[in-house]
Amino acid sequence: MEAGVLFSGGKDSALAAIMLARDYGVELNTCVFDPDREVPEVRAAAAALGLPFKRRVLGKDLLREAVDLLLTCGYPNDAIDMVHRTAVETLSAEYAVVGDGTRREDRVPRLERSEVQHLEMTTGCSYVRPLLGYGKAEVERLAERLLVVRYGETGNIGNGDYEGELRSALCARGIDPASFFPSRHLQSLVVARRET
């Protein structure tokens, strides 16, 4: 059975993919808004894991909607959750199993239990989050043991996180994203898989 895993190229989604690959044929899916945006670093991360990769285009309309929501709320959480929900729903149309790398204490992106139940009942897919029971310290330990990871601030590391394109869209509107996103937010990018 195939599982479509949302993949930013970072350690969390990589660990989730490794865990799911024990029981499913995993395909890594990175979602972008701009059809012209390529994600070579994320493709390389997928290749390092030895898993097939797909780039999905969610569209510029969704990006505009997400930026409008961010501006209305004054913070990015609801916008990122909306984008994530759309990405999960997109994969649910193709895969019987959809997964991601959300952890126990992640505030965003996060689908609530009622949203997960609705998704599963209406689409027939199973939405699995293998890291949901893991805290940050354990994820870091596993990543250190299984992956070679590069870290950098959002916007300075070429991963497939939603935040980078949201920041760029704010800049395109003449708005400084620094007032909406935390400063010095570190992101990760998998560069290799360690031999175990």
Side-chain angles (χ1 to χ4, degrees), residues 167 170-171 174-181:
R167 285 174 177 260
L170 285 169
C171 288
I175 301 168
D176 181 7
S179 59
F180 298 99
F181 293 96

Side-chain angles (χ1 to χ4, degrees):
M1 179 178 293
E2 292 289 315
V5 176
L6 288 168
F7 184 63
S8 68
K11 67 181 178 348
D12 296 349
S13 56
L15 287 173
I18 290 169
M19 291 174 171
L20 289 171
R22 293 182 297 212
D23 299 307
Y24 304 97
V26 167
E27 290 184 340
L28 303 175
N29 292 261
T30 296
C31 295
V32 299
F33 300 103
D34 184 347
D36 295 327
R37 180 175 178 223
E38 294 298 329
V39 286
E41 296 93 342
V42 181
R43 283 185 189 278
L49 295 177
L51 295 170
F53 174 82
K54 290 185 177 181
R55 182 181 63 95
R56 306 258 178 187
V57 178
L58 298 177
K60 292 182 180 181
D61 288 344
L62 181 64
L63 178 59
R64 277 190 290 279
E65 186 180 343
V67 171
D68 289 345
L69 180 58
L70 183 155
L71 293 171
T72 299
C73 295
Y75 55 89
N77 296 15
D78 291 346
I80 292 172
D81 282 344
M82 179 192 70
V83 171
H84 189 69
R85 186 179 314 105
T86 301
V88 170
E89 290 169 354
T90 298
L91 294 190
S92 73
E94 185 174 331
Y95 298 98
V97 176
V98 175
D100 67 30
T102 54
R103 299 181 317 231
R104 179 176 61 218
E105 67 275 301
D106 282 347
R107 288 182 287 165
V108 292
R110 182 85 175 217
L111 296 185
E112 296 301 325
R113 182 175 180 220
S114 61
E115 293 175 296
V116 172
Q117 289 173 320
H118 181 263
L119 173 82
E120 290 183 338
M121 287 183 349
T122 58
T123 67
C125 84
S126 293
Y127 176 51
V128 294
R129 299 173 281 184
L131 298 182
L132 199 57
Y134 289 76
K136 182 177 182 178
E138 187 59 18
V139 167
E140 295 290 336
R141 187 189 70 75
L142 285 171
E144 176 65 27
R145 187 167 67 88
L146 299 173
L147 305 167
V148 177
V149 179
R150 183 168 47 109
Y151 293 89
E153 286 189 39
T154 300
N156 296 326
I157 191 164
N159 68 5
D161 191 88
Y162 310 129
E163 186 177 327
E165 283 185 273
L166 286 170
R167 285 174 177 260
S168 294
L170 285 169
C171 288
R173 291 187 185 191
I175 301 168
D176 181 7
S179 59
F180 298 99
F181 293 96
S183 62
R184 298 191 175 114
H185 183 143
L186 284 183
Q187 297 279 348
S188 63
L189 180 67
V190 172
V191 295
R193 187 166 176 178
R194 295 187 192 276
E195 298 297 322
T196 55

